[in-house]
Amino acid sequence: VYATIEAVERFVERHYAEQIERLDDVPALIELRDTLAWCRDGEIAHRDEAAVAQSVQPGMLLRAWTALVGAGSKFAVGIARRV
């Protein structure tokens, strides 16, 4: 479970980072950028908590699972952008 949480939070962190980067050069949206950065920092904390809570070292199967979770998250965002 913790590996899944870590994988999702890692994806969310990257997703926030992309959005923040797009807003870096838009002074009128600095408050939005700061809010997204605050949210991203919360996701990083969740990711780190899940990493600490894991009781096993990730083997090949767990690494494959977390890659699948990341790919599924990316796919879901792609669909949401089109809906």
Side-chain angles (χ1 to χ4, degrees), residues 17-57:
E18 291 171 6
Q19 306 310 310
I20 291 166
E21 186 177 315
R22 290 179 184 172
L23 296 175
D24 278 342
D25 297 328
V26 186
L29 298 176
I30 192 73
E31 287 184 34
L32 175 58
R33 185 207 173 281
D34 290 347
T35 298
L36 292 176
W38 180 81
C39 292
R40 181 209 51 212
D41 293 346
E43 302 303 328
I44 290 170
H46 295 155
R47 180 206 64 203
D48 293 347
E49 290 169 2
V52 169
Q54 288 185 55
S55 60
V56 296
Q57 291 296 324

